[in-house]
């Protein structure tokens, strides 16, 4: 009986991080899916999409959820940024949850100190650095504090 209880306890301790990691991956894929649902700017096309779980900005512990799409467009960066900023506003788009998706635009040839561009560079490769290529990204929220704190990728 005691051996069974100890076995169940060990199984719970071992499986919890695995289950939390799988659920966190699903959250990040959800952010990616939400980005793919946004309408594209005129004359733009999606080349690739990706999601990631980890910690790439700020200090401390806590998991971050990233969804990203690589688009090609002849529009200048300022117009792409304005387009996605307007889509992220709840007043403009009532289907967007106010604290879930706030798209940002990154041009990977710009020098930045954040680790986010290096993560995106690794994900999309050299294609993302070509002219008229933009990475549209957003982060999502953890389903609970357990998910936020107990994924080793967030430390």
């Amino acid at each position: 009986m005691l051996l069974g209880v100890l076995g169940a306890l060990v199984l719970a301790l071992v499986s919890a991080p695995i289950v939390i990691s799988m659920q966190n991956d699903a959250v990040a894929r959800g952010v990616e899916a939400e980005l793919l649902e946004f309408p594209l700017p005129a004359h733009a096309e999606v080349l690739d999409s990706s999601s990631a779980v980890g910690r790439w900005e700020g200090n401390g512990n806590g998991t971050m959820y990233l969804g990203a799409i690589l688009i090609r467009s002849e529009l200048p960066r300022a117009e792409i940024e304005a387009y996605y900023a307007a889509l992220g506003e709840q007043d403009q788009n009532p289907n967007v949850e106010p604290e879930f998706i706030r798209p940002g635009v990154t041009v990977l040839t710009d020098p930045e100190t954040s680790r986010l561009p290096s993560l995106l560079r690794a994900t999309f490769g050299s294609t993302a650095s070509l002219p008229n290529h933009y990475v549209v990204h957003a982060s999502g929220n953890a389903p609970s504090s357990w998910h936020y704190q107990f994924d080793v990728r967030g430390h």
Side-chain angles (χ1 to χ4, degrees):
M1 171 96 166
L2 180 61
L3 190 58
V5 171
L6 287 174
L9 182 61
V10 168
L11 180 63
L13 290 173
V14 170
S15 64
I18 295 168
V19 170
I20 287 173
S21 293
M22 291 170 61
Q23 290 174 335
N24 282 343
D25 289 339
V27 170
R29 284 191 305 273
V31 175
E32 175 188 359
E34 294 246 2
L35 277 175
L36 288 167
E37 289 178 13
F38 278 122
L40 290 172
H43 310 292
E45 64 178 316
V46 174
L47 301 177
D48 198 0
S49 68
S50 185
S51 61
V53 177
R55 183 80 186 171
W56 48 87
E57 288 183 334
N59 298 322
N61 296 327
T63 305
M64 300 174 85
Y65 310 91
L66 174 73
I69 59 174
L70 175 63
I71 66 170
R72 178 174 44 217
S73 174
E74 296 301 320
L75 294 174
R77 178 184 182 171
E79 286 185 40
I80 299 284
E81 288 174 339
Y83 178 83
Y84 279 101
L87 282 179
E89 295 292 327
Q90 187 179 15
D91 294 339
Q92 302 279 338
N93 189 351
N95 298 325
V96 176
E97 295 178 33
E99 294 183 14
F100 190 62
I101 295 291
R102 288 286 183 256
V105 177
T106 298
V107 177
L108 295 183
T109 54
D110 290 351
E112 295 191 32
T113 58
S114 168
R115 290 184 356 205
L116 178 62
S118 64
L119 173 70
L120 296 175
R121 228 179 254 107
T123 300
F124 295 124
S126 60
T127 305
S129 297
L130 294 173
N132 301 321
H133 287 64
Y134 305 95
V135 177
V136 180
H137 54 85
S139 2
N141 295 322
S144 73
S145 62
W146 285 89
H147 292 83
Y148 179 77
Q149 291 293 334
F150 291 104
D151 190 323
V152 296
R153 297 172 289 181
H155 300 281

